Amino acid sequence: MQLKLTNTLSNKLDFFTPINNKNIKLYVCGPTVYDKPHIGNARSLVIYDVLYRILRELYGDNSVTFVRNITDIDDKIIQRAEELGILIKELTTEVIKNFHEDAEYLNCLLPTHEPKATETLDVMIEIIQKLINNGHAYTSNGHVYYNIESFPDYGKFSGKETDSLIQGSRIEIDNNKKHPADFVLWKPSQDKDLGVSYDSPWGLGRPGWHIECSAMSYKFLGTDFDIHGGGADLMFPHHTNEIAQSCCAFPGSKFANFWVHNGFLTVRGEKMSKSLGNFITIYDMRQKKVKGEIIRLLLLNSHYRSPMDYNEKALYDATETMNYFYRTLENFDLINFEQIKFENLPQDFIHSLCDDLNIHRAISIMFSLAKEINKSSNAESVTKAKILVSCGRVLGFFMENTGSWFHMDETDLEIENMIKERNMAKSVKNWEEADRIRNLLTAKGIMLEDNPYGQTIWRRVPSNL
Ligand code: AMP
Ligand code: ZN
């Protein structure tokens, strides 16, 4: 089955045809490591993890090269390190470590290469030099700028005229520039000891953000590759500028054939972001002992291009669904289980994934399968359970055994005991004590729900929303 993807470049749903089907090349803009990522960043992380997994299923595990970079040179990093009074390297090392723990928690596969900007400066300098040599960049007052008027196709990608692009985004007014939308490739800075500046033919300084990705993709994937991904916020100026730089530095190259953009995770309709303060980090979720697979399901269970709203209900639903799957598979050995090959999985499941990554539909197919398994227990349900697990594995689920999924740790036992005490208090109509316990649990981020059968169900709720 051939994969179809919505390609931002053609602005339509296109059949994906690789340049070389023995080596599919995928590049995704990774994190800027100034702080712990939030679950909006995690949406991008898990979506491209699924795309990587599907490409591996379709073309073979060893036939896909996945590059996800780390932006470790950026103004936000410098500012943060200054605020904290620590060295840049200390900050980035810690944030990268946390990012790796987050990615593991979310069951993301390791990319083939994870280049850092700090390790790719030579390639950035090489590309900037090429751009100066062929008239697409100019030096001005210690800076090097890309000259957007030298590239007639500039902005074509975003489907907008240059003037409207400028109006719609924050472009620094700078007298050194020939055109207001010219963007910086290299800028001067002096603090070499702090790790803020590097040697270059244009003096001590540091690169602009966009050139970092052009260099890291070129180093590991060459001038032309198959798919470039990232969040929809990166379309302009970041991806527009990457295209301009790379296509002009390597005349005749197309850079990426397919551009894939994921929609935002929102909170009450607004993009989750650090600047708006409406965020919750992946680290917070780990601290609250929310299972990574629950967050993964939450983030994958809507179309990748549409915005999706994060709220308590969504978290509750994802928890219920994941528990339902694991309950369905109770007593089934998930660890020593041999997977069914992708091509032998239900056709509608494969078809959904190949149809512009309709993961939501694929999950609903898994849900129907689980319902069938729960309806009857016969030899057929074992076969169905195998299919269910194999489908889940394609999407990075069911990495735990059911025993450990439902296993309670010490904090869980403490909560259970407090609930028992509250129920005792309720049974003797000591409402004050019952409320006191409920309030204590609420303060711990535990939400109680008394169901009609006299049972109390509890769940963890992120507290800072
Ligand atoms: P950053 O660390 O800000 O460079 O972001 C890393 C990735 O996460 C980029 O691909 C962003 O487009 C993406 N991203 C940032 N915020 C959100 C959000 N609220 N929803 C979905 N993706 C996001
Ligand atoms: Zn990038």
Side-chain angles (χ1 to χ4, degrees), residues 297 320-330 346 349 361-378 380-392 398:
L297 180 81
E320 291 290 287
T321 306
M322 236 28 241
N323 284 343
Y324 180 73
F325 281 140
Y326 270 97
R327 218 171 285 126
T328 304
L329 298 167
E330 211 143 29
F349 177 80
R361 205 192 313 139
I363 291 170
S364 65
I365 291 165
M366 286 167 55
F367 200 79
S368 308
L369 204 56
K371 274 212 274 199
E372 284 176 36
I373 297 169
N374 284 315
K375 249 193 254 159
S376 63
S377 62
N378 49 30
E380 217 185 296
S381 41
V382 176
T383 313
K384 284 183 179 159
K386 281 188 182 164
I387 299 172
L388 175 59
V389 178
S390 303
C391 289
F398 308 140

Side-chain angles (χ1 to χ4, degrees), residues 138-145 174-178 186 188 202:
Y138 58 94
T139 53
S140 171
N141 215 0
H143 293 68
V144 184
Y145 292 102
D174 186 338
N175 293 333
N176 297 318
K177 295 184 191 176
K178 289 184 182 166
W186 191 267
W202 316 285

Side-chain angles (χ1 to χ4, degrees), residues 16 43 63 125 149 226 256 280 284 292 345 395 418 439:
F16 172 67
R43 186 173 189 208
S63 301
I125 290 170
E149 285 174 315
D226 295 293
I280 175 157
D284 288 335
L345 291 176
L395 300 173
M418 287 172 77
N439 291 341

